Structure formats: structure tokens, C-alpha cells
């Protein structure tokens, strides 16, 4: 059974940094691209970033480009999201998701439960 | 890029059918067949219900079906059941090599 477990969320002041982690199990991790998706409470979902199986391709939403960095460690079956220069509008629940494809974005086959991030002074 | 457009809410009685629309542009829904739908019960992980416009993952009830016409995709749920009450989101690949979601539709089973 596929499991995605996010961690690293919390309360942080504007301008500070945070690193989210997602531990994957139950599938061949390096066969799949991975993503981060967020949801502001009471709002819709927003794709944040994606990374191909070998880290050769990464993508970012315009709202986080230049501030967030996605990475993965296939030896540890983990994907990460480094969030710098955090803004109040980055406050959201952050989900890790597995793509069906390996080297392109298609759709989100599985999701984790997410981790909350609150940016506030 | 703006979010895909979904109705904020739909409702139906048990046993009835409902359809949720998802409207985009030729740069997303109209240009690609990577349209997917997700069911989200608050507090739980979202669940893939439909992928590539009209395909159901293993384990998803055949009461769920998807379609696309031009820049609009649709999710139809037939034989509504109480457990179907949830938020539903559509998603599409875009010309900018990103993924985009709809604003979400709250389904109420009366």
C-alpha cells in the first residue's frame, strides 16, 4: 500500500525559512515524479512544485518561483520542499503527491495527509 | 494562470445523478487529455477518482465517470450515495508545463 507522510510544517515568521519532508513507501520511489500541492484553509488546491524521477526536471508555480526549491533523495525515498522568504500568503496545508509518470507531469495518483504551515508574526 | 472554473456547490438526492463542470482554456483542458478529478473529505488525503479525462483507477466505483468537450471537462456521479458527499477538484496539465486545479465543488447529498 502506498504511504506518503509529510513532516516539517509549523509556525514561522514572515521572511523565515522552513523545510518540508515527505517519506514515501509502498512503491518504487524512483519510478515516479513527485509533487507538492497546497490548500489555503477554505480555498482550493494549488500546485506548488514538481520533480521528475531523477531530479532532472523541476517545475514551480509562479507564486513560489525563486523562493521554494524542491529536491529528492531516491536512496531515502524522500522528497523535500525548501521554502525561503516565507510570506503570510504561503500559509496553507501542504500535501505531498505521487505522479503517475516519471519524467513529466500527468496526475496525482496518491496523496499524503499533509502538514500545516502557518506564516505569521 | 487562473484556476479552472468549477461551480462552488452542487447537490442531489440519494440515487440521483449529478454533473460537475470544470472550464478552462485551450492552454489547459482544451489542449491536453491530462484532466483528472479528486475527491476530498476534510481532514483526509485527497483521492484520485478519474484520470486522463475518463479513466477510473482500480477500486473507484463505476458510478463515477468523466468526459471532456472543448475547454470543459465534466465529472458525473450516478446513483448518489451519502458517502459521496465531499469536495471535488478537477486538474489539468497546462501549456506552461505546470498543473492547475479548479476552485473545488462542494457536493451535498440531500
Amino acid at each position: 500500500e502506498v504511504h506518503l507522510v509529510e513532516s516539517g510544517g509549523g509556525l514561522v515568521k514572515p521572511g523565515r525559512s522552513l523545510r518540508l519532508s515527505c517519506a514515501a513507501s509502498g512503491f518504487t520511489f524512483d519510478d515516479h515524479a513527485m509533487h507538492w500541492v497546497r490548500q489555503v484553509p477554505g480555498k482550493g488546491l494549488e500546485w506548488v512544485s514538481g520533480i521528475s524521477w531523477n531530479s532532472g526536471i523541476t517545475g514551480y508555480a509562479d507564486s513560489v518561483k525563486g523562493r521554494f526549491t524542491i529536491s529528492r533523495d531516491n536512496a531515502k525515498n524522500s522528497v523535500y520542499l525548501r521554502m525561503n522568504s516565507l510570506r503570510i500568503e504561503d500559509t496553507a496545508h501542504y500535501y505531498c503527491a505521487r505522479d503517475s509518470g516519471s519524467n513529466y507531469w500527468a496526475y496525482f495518483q496518491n496523496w499524503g495527509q499533509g502538514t500545516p504551515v502557518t506564516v505569521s508574526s | 494562470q487562473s484556476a479552472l472554473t468549477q461551480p462552488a456547490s452542487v447537490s442531489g438526492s440519494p440515487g440521483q445523478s449529478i454533473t460537475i463542470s470544470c472550464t478552462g482554456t485551450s492552454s489547459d483542458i482544451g489542449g491536453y487529455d491530462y484532466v483528472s478529478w479528486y475527491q476530498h473529505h476534510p481532514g483526509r488525503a485527497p483521492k484520485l477518482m478519474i484520470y486522463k479525462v475518463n479513466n477510473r483507477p482500480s477500486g473507484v466505483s463505476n458510478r463515477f465517470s468523466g468526459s471532456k468537450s472543448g475547454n470543459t471537462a465534466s465529472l458525473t456521479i450516478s446513483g448518489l450515495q451519502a458517502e459521496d458527499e465531499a469536495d471535488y477538484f478537477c486538474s489539468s496539465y497546462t501549456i506552461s508545463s505546470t498543473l492547475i486545479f479548479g476552485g473545488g465543488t462542494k457536493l451535498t447529498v440531500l
Side-chain angles (χ1 to χ4, degrees):
Chain A
E1 186 180 357
V2 173
H3 280 289
L4 299 170
V5 181
E6 302 91 339
S7 61
L11 174 62
V12 62
K13 294 185 186 315
R16 297 289 183 90
S17 298
L18 207 57
R19 187 203 197 204
L20 305 183
S21 299
C22 171
S25 61
F27 64 99
T28 305
F29 185 68
D30 56 11
D31 275 352
H32 294 269
M34 297 294 294
H35 300 273
W36 288 96
V37 176
R38 67 186 181 184
Q39 183 175 31
V40 174
K43 304 282 189 178
L45 297 169
E46 179 187 17
W47 176 78
V48 173
S49 182
I51 186 167
S52 64
W53 71 279
N54 63 351
S55 305
I57 300 171
T58 58
Y60 299 92
D62 287 343
S63 58
V64 307
K65 201 173 292 184
R67 299 187 299 122
F68 290 12
T69 302
I70 192 171
S71 61
R72 63 189 293 161
D73 185 338
N74 287 346
K76 294 184 178 179
N77 285 0
S78 293
V79 61
Y80 309 97
L81 186 69
R82 175 70 178 182
M83 305 186 293
N84 294 333
S85 304
L86 280 162
R87 304 169 180 168
I88 291 175
E89 55 264 35
D90 294 319
T91 295
H93 204 77
Y94 284 73
Y95 295 96
C96 168
R98 175 180 82 144
D99 201 302
S100 64
S102 60
N103 221 27
Y104 56 91
W105 314 151
Y107 53 90
F108 310 99
Q109 276 185 314
N110 304 92
W111 300 65
Q113 298 272 16
T115 185
V117 172
T118 302
V119 184
S120 174
S121 53
Chain B
Q1 185 151 13
S2 299
L4 304 173
T5 301
Q6 296 182 233
S9 63
V10 297
S11 62
S13 300
Q16 287 186 330
S17 294
I18 63 96
T19 296
I20 299 172
S21 62
C22 173
T23 301
T25 69
S26 58
S27 295
D28 38 68
I29 291 177
Y32 305 92
D33 282 339
Y34 282 109
V35 177
S36 51
W37 290 89
Y38 304 88
Q39 179 189 66
H40 190 202
H41 290 102
R44 290 163 59 175
K47 178 184 177 183
L48 176 67
M49 306 302 286
I50 294 288
Y51 66 95
K52 288 190 191 176
V53 177
N54 56 12
N55 292 273
R56 266 188 320 276
S58 171
V60 171
S61 170
N62 59 9
R63 298 184 299 104
F64 291 82
S65 62
S67 63
K68 188 183 88 165
S69 177
N71 297 337
T72 298
S74 299
L75 173 71
T76 297
I77 309 173
S78 59
L80 269 180
Q81 299 179 0
E83 68 207 46
D84 299 332
E85 185 161 296
D87 296 323
Y88 291 84
F89 293 90
C90 59
S91 177
S92 174
Y93 181 77
T94 82
I95 197 170
S96 303
S97 300
T98 62
L99 293 162
I100 190 172
F101 286 95
T105 299
K106 181 177 180 61
L107 169 62
T108 301
V109 180
L110 303 170

